[in-house]
Amino acid sequence: MAVSGFEGFEKRLELHFSGDDPVFLNVGLRQISFDSLEQVLREVQCTVVSAVGNHYFDAYVLSESSLFVYPTKIIIKTCGTTQLLKSIPPLLHHALNLGLTLSYCRYTRGNFIFPLSQPFPHTSFHDEALYLENTLPNHLCFRKASVMPSNLPSHAWHVFSACDQTRLLPDFYTVEICMTELDRTLARKFFRRPGDGKSGDAAGKEMTELAGINKINPNALVCDFGFDPCGYSMNGIDGDRYSTIHVTPEDGYSYASFECVGSIYDDDDDGDGEDLVRMLKRAVQVFRPAKVSVSTTSASHRVWARVVGAMEPLGLKCRSCTADEFPAIGSVVFQTFTARRKKPVECGGCTR
């Protein structure tokens, strides 16, 4: 492994807000001006490179990952040496000016490949949790921080959640896949040819089609960007759902992530979740990683159970499965898989 390189593993922050005016809430946070969002992102040390929106939300591709702005929630996902948690104070300020109050916060990340390169407050999970404790408003009184381990030393899942007294469980799920040791041939698709003369948008479109990312969810409108000399990001929007992919293809610390959201009530007709399984399969097949970790956040146990059904046909064996409960989230289930020939563990249940 390289001594130092670009940090692919993202930090992810999700903030939910509430207010009293139901008409106003149809627009809510989407009223924050682009200039104000850019100021927030300057605190994080990144910027917008491409954007798309629809009736439900706005999606921004960042120089380091993605930003999604809904009327009452914001999701920011950043990689590299960004200082993601520093976005909280200015976001709370803008929300307050719109008459919105923070009701829920969730922060997650995997294990950094280059932890010593991270700036404060991301120098350790202890520092991150302490920063969150001191930054979040006191009315978010139900809080929990946990590190979910696995049998793979390079993969663990860090979760911090906080919510107010409503403690309502969401009806949506989030699946976050982290992939390392990507197939070298497939990873080369995310390198640009020197002097290709293309814009980042044009290079991203070419990578999307060449890698088959446009086939993961054919219904999604894709907003993509190809970085120079290498690297790739995309946001897909499909109604009120988003998906996002980020790729760091360099050999020695190659990494790719895929994230998608959905409703626990929108199973396909036969109720077996085959649409989700199909999408997860297609996403992982783009990269053929040697190691995979999957975090599923949901109030329903049916969602995480489908992950094995997506991974095993690809030759990935389950190595560990851990579950924990968090306020206003429900269950977080963390599973790891590897293509190496080792005896797998049974994934019929999870340890706690």
Side-chain angles (χ1 to χ4, degrees), residues 1 16 46 57 84 120 128 172 185 238 276 290 328 340 346:
M1 179 177 289
H16 289 235
C46 63
F57 68 103
L84 175 59
F120 181 82
E128 291 169 323
F172 59 87
T185 300
D238 182 8
L276 173 62
R340 295 176 180 173
E346 291 295 329

Side-chain angles (χ1 to χ4, degrees), residues 213-265:
I213 289 172
N214 54 319
K215 298 177 182 177
I216 295 173
N217 178 6
N219 297 323
L221 172 64
V222 173
C223 179
D224 39 25
F225 196 88
F227 295 92
D228 191 9
C230 64
Y232 169 88
S233 289
M234 70 76 77
N235 294 329
I237 63 174
D238 182 8
D240 62 351
R241 322 289 172 79
Y242 71 83
S243 59
T244 185
I245 290 176
H246 305 284
V247 186
T248 301
E250 292 97 327
D251 192 35
Y253 48 95
S254 62
Y255 171 85
S257 67
F258 173 77
E259 178 181 333
C260 65
V261 296
S263 170
I264 61 176
Y265 303 117

Side-chain angles (χ1 to χ4, degrees), residues 9 110-111 148-158 178-181 255 290-294 320 334-337:
F9 272 92
N111 269 4
M148 304 177 70
S150 78
N151 289 347
L152 302 180
S154 58
H155 287 262
W157 198 243
H158 305 71
C178 300
M179 298 168 273
T180 56
E181 299 178 32
Y255 171 85
K291 295 178 181 177
V292 179
S293 68
V294 185
S320 59
F334 181 61
Q335 299 164 277
T336 58
F337 301 83

Side-chain angles (χ1 to χ4, degrees), residues 17 32 87-100:
F17 297 84
I32 299 175
S87 66
I88 296 177
L91 285 175
L92 294 183
H93 171 76
H94 290 303
L96 185 62
N97 287 341
L98 294 171
L100 297 173

Side-chain angles (χ1 to χ4, degrees), residues 253-325:
Y253 48 95
S254 62
Y255 171 85
S257 67
F258 173 77
E259 178 181 333
C260 65
V261 296
S263 170
I264 61 176
Y265 303 117
D266 64 359
D267 275 336
D268 39 37
D269 292 338
D270 56 9
D272 63 0
E274 188 58 34
D275 286 346
L276 173 62
V277 170
R278 188 182 302 112
M279 188 160 55
L280 298 182
K281 275 180 166 179
R282 289 173 177 171
V284 175
Q285 282 178 312
V286 168
F287 305 102
R288 293 182 200 158
K291 295 178 181 177
V292 179
S293 68
V294 185
S295 170
T296 306
T297 303
S298 175
S300 169
H301 293 284
R302 293 180 300 173
V303 180
W304 72 262
R306 294 174 184 136
V307 171
V308 174
M311 299 298 113
E312 287 193 337
L314 303 179
L316 294 161
K317 301 298 182 181
C318 186
R319 302 302 176 189
S320 59
C321 181
T322 306
D324 205 347
E325 301 287 329

Side-chain angles (χ1 to χ4, degrees), residues 38-46 82-84 86-87 90:
E38 284 274 61
Q39 290 175 6
V40 172
L41 294 173
R42 276 197 285 274
E43 295 292 322
V44 178
Q45 303 296 313
C46 63
T82 50
Q83 297 169 282
L84 175 59
K86 290 190 175 181
S87 66

